[in-house]
Amino acid sequence: MTATSAVPGETGQQTVRQQVLVLYLASSALDARVVGWSTYDGTGATHPTTGDSDVPPYASGLDALKDGWRLFQAAQLLPPFPGHEYDVSFLKHEFFFEKLVTV
Amino acid sequence: MPHPHQKNLLTSVQMAHFVATGSLRMDAVVPDEMNQQAIEVLKAGIPGVPYGTPLSEAFVDTEFVQRLVQLPEVAGAIHSLVGPEPTVDHHAVHIRKANEGEAQNLHGDAIIDVRPDAFDVQLMYYPQDVTLEMGGTLSVPGSHLRRTNESDTGRYQNLLGQTRLVCPAGTVQFLHHGIWHGGRKNDSSIDRYMFKIRFNPTVRQVRLWNVEDLYDPEVARELDQSFPWYENATGRLEKYNRIKLWQALTGDDTFDPEFWVTRVSNRPQRVVAQRSLNPHASKKEMA
């Protein structure tokens, strides 16, 4: 899908693409340390993939905000299902960020 | 298959390492002479084996694989992990082509598998030196007890403390069936080969290794380790689940050095009578 936006002060229209950063944090606090990360680049300029880096892009979720990433989704805090209190499964503290990039 | 010599069985510390991490790595355990032959053998293909074929019957026509699984250290590890005469679930030759543009999603093999007291292992053999650029298998230490199904974890690209395999030729690693892993993108000009066999146990997996060091303090240290990608709270549940698995493998449900299981299962049944209703109690107040 192509999103377009009128840019104030310019007569033409510019095309905007979304870059998505997913951070997994050590607790539900947004300033907790990053334990996992994924990126998806809607501009097509980069091609992040599985196992391409050992170093997280930010130390915490807050650091991503400071660098201009906009938070648009955070994982809910859900109580465990009765009888499954000790089960481990997916990472719980998942935060989705975006940057809108004009291409 | 003959019983491996005691000296080639895994130690309790090595088993505890496997229970904590979900993997066991043996660097350059396969001799060079076999590694030299391996690429041609793997290129030619290893004939299929029906599911559930006993290991001793599975590769009667593939001398190379027989030699591989009968190497003393390899046979000792197989016996220690899944016991005598396991069956072969399946095997496969995996090739990550030179300059291959795709990485596999992070996944667990087969389907969600939550057996609390049994596990399969996958032997992975790397006949070449594997560099970082060649896209050695990505695996996530301590992910094997997570209850997730196959590639539902595909959204996770990188986890702190992940293992991007770099190893010398002849390395074998054993992975617990549940471990999150994937073939990485090969950015080199060399095709990368890996041969995998999945083993199913045919006996109860209790004390199949060399248990002389069962109560070595290093066992408890292995079981209590954490991994950088664990969330603070869930990391504690990992230790709970690990201790439960270790108790199943040792047949000792009292082993709980950090009290993770004991604390939350302590429900005393002894009732203390109220002092005023006890005819045998002294009427004098205690000083």
Side-chain angles (χ1 to χ4, degrees), chain A residues 55-72:
Chain A
V55 181
Y58 300 100
S60 72
L62 183 60
D63 282 354
L65 291 182
K66 288 176 180 173
D67 196 37
W69 289 92
R70 297 152 53 103
L71 179 71
F72 69 92

Side-chain angles (χ1 to χ4, degrees), chain B residues 9-22:
Chain B
L9 295 176
L10 300 180
T11 65
S12 299
V13 173
Q14 287 176 304
M15 279 300 294
H17 177 82
F18 180 86
V19 166
T21 64

Side-chain angles (χ1 to χ4, degrees), chain B residues 227-262:
Chain B
F227 297 104
W229 66 278
Y230 281 175
E231 304 116 311
N232 301 339
T234 306
R236 295 188 163 195
L237 296 182
E238 291 281 0
K239 293 179 184 179
Y240 171 96
N241 286 297
R242 238 181 249 164
I243 290 296
K244 296 287 277 186
L245 178 55
W246 186 252
Q247 290 179 348
L249 297 183
T250 57
D252 177 2
D253 63 5
T254 67
F255 184 89
D256 187 16
E258 298 296 330
F259 250 49
W260 291 114
V261 175
T262 309

Side-chain angles (χ1 to χ4, degrees), chain A residues 38 52-53 86 88-89 92, chain B residues 146-147 155 158 162 231:
Chain A
S38 302
D52 61 3
S53 170
Y86 302 104
V88 290
S89 183
K92 288 185 171 177
Chain B
R146 299 260 165 165
R147 297 183 167 212
R155 183 183 290 170
N158 292 290
Q162 65 195 4
E231 304 116 311

Side-chain angles (χ1 to χ4, degrees), chain B residues 168-216:
Chain B
T171 294
V172 167
Q173 62 173 350
F174 290 92
L175 298 179
H176 182 284
H177 66 247
I179 204 161
W180 294 351
H181 68 283
R184 289 174 48 248
K185 189 157 74 87
N186 185 350
D187 289 326
S188 77
S189 57
I190 304 167
D191 291 350
R192 178 176 71 78
Y193 287 78
M194 184 268 281
F195 177 56
K196 175 182 95 170
I197 312 173
R198 180 171 176 142
F199 298 107
N200 311 134
T202 58
V203 299
R204 195 173 157 211
Q205 288 157 289
V206 177
R207 299 188 188 217
L208 296 169
W209 62 94
N210 180 353
V211 295
E212 283 175 359
D213 61 339
L214 194 56
Y215 294 101
D216 185 323

Side-chain angles (χ1 to χ4, degrees), chain A:
Chain A
M1 190 178 78
T2 300
T4 57
S5 66
V7 178
E10 294 187 19
T11 52
Q13 286 194 323
Q14 293 188 327
T15 303
V16 172
R17 291 285 188 272
Q18 189 184 34
Q19 291 178 323
V20 174
L21 169 68
V22 194
L23 294 181
Y24 300 90
L25 304 183
S27 81
S28 61
L30 191 51
D31 57 357
R33 69 186 171 91
V34 173
V35 299
W37 61 98
S38 302
T39 50
Y40 299 92
D41 188 350
T43 72
T46 63
H47 306 279
T49 190
T50 307
D52 61 3
S53 170
D54 285 338
V55 181
Y58 300 100
S60 72
L62 183 60
D63 282 354
L65 291 182
K66 288 176 180 173
D67 196 37
W69 289 92
R70 297 152 53 103
L71 179 71
F72 69 92
Q73 181 171 296
Q76 294 182 61
L77 292 176
L78 299 169
F81 291 108
H84 295 271
E85 291 85 354
Y86 302 104
D87 288 0
V88 290
S89 183
F90 296 110
L91 292 162
K92 288 185 171 177
H93 308 304
E94 180 182 66
F95 295 83
F96 276 76
F97 301 83
E98 69 171 0
K99 275 185 180 177
L100 297 177
V101 178
T102 302
V103 294

